[in-house]
Amino acid sequence: MPIKLSRQIRRIKPSPTLAISAKATQMKKEGINVVNFGVGEPDFNTPDYIKKAAFKAIDENFTRYTPTPGIPELKQAICDKLLRENNLQYKPNEIVVSAGAKAAIAFALRAVCDSHDQVIIQVPYWVSYPYQVELAEAEPVYLETKIDNNFKIEPDKLEALIKDNPRAKAIILNTPGNPTGTVYTRSELEAIAAVCLKYELVIISDEIYEKLVYDGSEHVSIASLSEEIKANTIVINGFSKAYAMTGWRLGYLAAPAEVASAIARIQGHIDSNANSISQKAGIAALQEDDGSLEKMRKEFEKRKSFLREELLKTPEVKCSNPDGAFYMMADISAYLKNNNKGITCSEQLCTYLLENFRVDLVQGSVFGSDDYVRFSYANSMENLAEGAKRFKEGMLSLRS
Ligand SMILES: Cc1ncc(COP(=O)(O)O)c(C=O)c1O
């Protein structure tokens, strides 16, 4: 008799980016040169000083279970970092180290949400947020944002949405954002925080891209705005993007002690602790610096400006001007409304561009915004130039 899956899991679809990226991988295997704009991780290696700390941990047999919320030295290093870089004062018992920021968000949602609760997510959103909310048995509620406003949440729209959805318990805020690259300024965060406090919304602040900000913009953690806001916020961060450590699976959160302790209880029963070796590497990442982070950041900054200029050469494509992360959204709605191939959605457009112009993009529908496609610039300048050229050719081929 086949195993019948739970109702909850039947609602969770496989990652929608998979079909197109599987096709792109297959094409590459067949020797076809595909330019990949779909990458969700830095195209740099983990810096050597971090790798050395991991080798040392293995040599010293630091290979056993650790305390569930993380080893004390790492938790202290995280507290020091939060104070130094984010003006946030946390104690080690307010930190939980997890196997990636993804796990931290998932456990935070479970700790905060009851089954009738709603969680506000801005659109376009990072693909996992809605599913993570659903896995916590809560209900996602969507707040639309627009390219003309750099995909920023407008406080009055947030307030109106909360009024319409009185079960809203939390909001996920992501700055710098994926897929938009949006970085909120201090005053924008103050306005959002005021609404959250008024309606007692818990803020889950995903700051995983904090190190990747460009053109003089600054990352501000919403929790640093006041003690009152900090008491209402769970700060999420990790090592994947800033230190090119996606495979190490290391993230963390900071929250009021009771909340952190509840989250640690959940983690303790699901995956115990983050990898012991990665935790030692994480200490080195936070305490040392060989200049590679700034080198990566500068390279991304250069690529962003270059790619944007190239994409704007395609007529009728609007392009966001992000200040952070390594993503850019392009508005392709003019082509969806009018093209000679009968294409009606971003997924069909991405499939067409991949099959005919060998360029791999992520369709906006997976981020809740079908009018867009997402470009990642975690790729060499040479590939970005070639990819933008192919994109333009592909788009022009759709014009009647
Ligand atoms: C917005 C956002 N949050 C969290 C994560 C997860 O990061 P981690 O590798 O630490 O689990 C990602 C990864 O793509 C992301 O884009």
Side-chain angles (χ1 to χ4, degrees):
M1 193 175 68
I3 295 172
K4 194 168 171 212
L5 295 174
S6 71
R7 229 172 293 130
Q8 190 196 37
I9 199 61
R10 274 183 271 149
R11 288 211 312 265
I12 308 291
K13 298 195 198 95
S15 172
T17 51
L18 280 183
I20 293 179
S21 74
K23 182 156 204 145
T25 308
Q26 182 56 34
M27 286 168 72
K28 278 181 229 160
K29 262 196 203 147
E30 289 163 12
I32 301 168
N33 167 302
V34 174
V35 177
N36 191 354
F37 281 117
V39 199
E41 58 186 341
D43 54 321
F44 299 102
N45 293 324
T46 304
D48 284 342
Y49 73 94
I50 298 174
K51 290 195 274 195
K52 267 189 204 137
F55 289 134
K56 185 161 175 283
I58 295 173
D59 284 341
E60 291 175 353
N61 293 308
F62 195 74
T63 52
R64 299 194 162 81
Y65 289 131
T66 75
T68 297
I71 54 177
E73 310 91 285
L74 177 56
K75 289 201 294 174
Q76 186 58 55
I78 291 168
C79 291
D80 296 345
K81 177 261 177 227
L82 291 170
L83 185 60
R84 188 174 66 237
E85 297 180 1
N86 307 100
N87 197 25
L88 283 169
Q89 198 145 22
Y90 283 103
K91 296 196 197 78
N93 66 346
E94 296 174 304
I95 306 295
V96 181
V97 177
S98 55
K102 200 179 245 181
I105 301 164
F107 298 148
L109 284 164
R110 286 188 198 191
V112 164
C113 295
D114 282 306
S115 56
H116 62 284
D117 289 333
Q118 295 170 318
V119 177
I120 297 174
I121 297 174
Q122 100 164 71
V123 182
Y125 46 71
W126 176 46
V127 283
S128 288
Y129 292 147
Y131 295 120
Q132 290 211 343
V133 168
E134 286 188 4
L135 283 169
E137 294 189 12
E139 180 195 333
V141 176
Y142 298 105
L143 180 57
E144 293 289 337
T145 61
K146 291 272 165 277
I147 193 166
D148 300 332
N149 189 30
N150 263 324
F151 298 108
K152 287 186 176 169
I153 292 174
E154 292 166 58
D156 53 334
K157 296 222 169 98
L158 173 61
E159 182 154 13
L161 188 78
I162 299 169
K163 281 186 183 153
D164 285 347
N165 293 277
R167 289 182 285 115
K169 170 84 187 275
I171 179 168
I172 304 180
L173 191 73
N174 180 209
T175 177
N178 177 8
T180 59
T182 299
V183 178
Y184 285 87
T185 64
R186 184 177 296 274
S187 59
E188 287 162 351
L189 290 174
E190 278 166 353
I192 293 170
V195 178
C196 294
L197 281 182
K198 184 171 168 190
Y199 294 93
E200 296 181 3
L201 275 197
V202 176
I203 304 168
I204 298 178
S205 178
D206 181 352
E207 303 176 18
I208 185 92
Y209 292 96
E210 74 162 332
K211 298 274 186 203
L212 301 175
V213 288
Y214 315 119
D215 301 329
S217 64
E218 171 202 25
H219 168 70
V220 178
S221 173
I222 195 165
S224 70
L225 297 178
S226 75
E227 278 305 312
E228 212 185 351
I229 294 163
K230 181 172 166 242
N232 244 29
T233 301
I234 301 174
V235 176
I236 307 284
N237 211 323
F239 296 78
S240 287
K241 316 290 175 171
Y243 301 92
M245 289 176 72
T246 45
W248 298 68
R249 309 310 303 130
L250 193 64
Y252 59 89
L253 61 83
E258 256 182 47
V259 179
S261 151
I263 293 171
R265 285 205 299 279
I266 299 173
Q267 173 162 299
H269 292 295
I270 294 184
D271 63 2
S272 298
N273 55 264
N275 178 304
S276 60
I277 298 148
S278 298
Q279 289 191 57
K280 285 284 189 181
I283 298 171
L286 293 176
Q287 291 183 338
E288 297 168 38
D289 181 7
D290 68 352
S292 25
L293 257 65
E294 181 55 10
K295 241 195 258 164
M296 284 192 255
R297 193 199 66 77
K298 278 204 170 122
E299 182 60 30
F300 278 133
E301 187 171 61
K302 212 167 65 188
R303 293 173 183 179
K304 180 203 81 153
S305 306
F306 173 75
L307 179 64
R308 184 160 189 273
E309 262 177 42
E310 290 303 301
L311 294 181
L312 287 174
K313 290 178 185 165
T314 306
E316 291 190 285
V317 165
K318 271 202 264 173
C319 209
S320 65
N321 192 9
D323 291 320
F326 39 75
Y327 308 107
M328 196 176 288
M329 294 287 266
D331 181 340
I332 42 85
S333 55
Y335 288 81
L336 294 186
K337 280 187 204 116
N338 183 16
N339 66 79
N340 57 25
K341 298 281 182 303
I343 288 172
T344 55
C345 65
S346 59
E347 184 173 353
Q348 287 171 359
L349 179 77
C350 289
T351 306
Y352 172 77
L353 291 174
L354 176 63
E355 287 175 349
N356 298 283
F357 292 86
R358 296 164 290 121
V359 56
D360 180 18
L361 296 164
V362 183
Q363 68 273 32
S365 53
V366 305
F367 312 113
S369 300
D370 202 34
D371 283 346
Y372 299 92
V373 291
R374 189 192 75 177
F375 288 81
S376 156
Y377 44 94
N379 211 330
S380 68
M381 289 290 254
E382 200 187 346
N383 283 340
L384 297 183
E386 177 60 25
K389 193 173 117 243
R390 292 183 193 179
F391 172 72
K392 184 177 171 190
E393 280 167 15
M395 297 303 274
L396 290 179
S397 75
L398 293 172
R399 296 179 118 195
S400 312

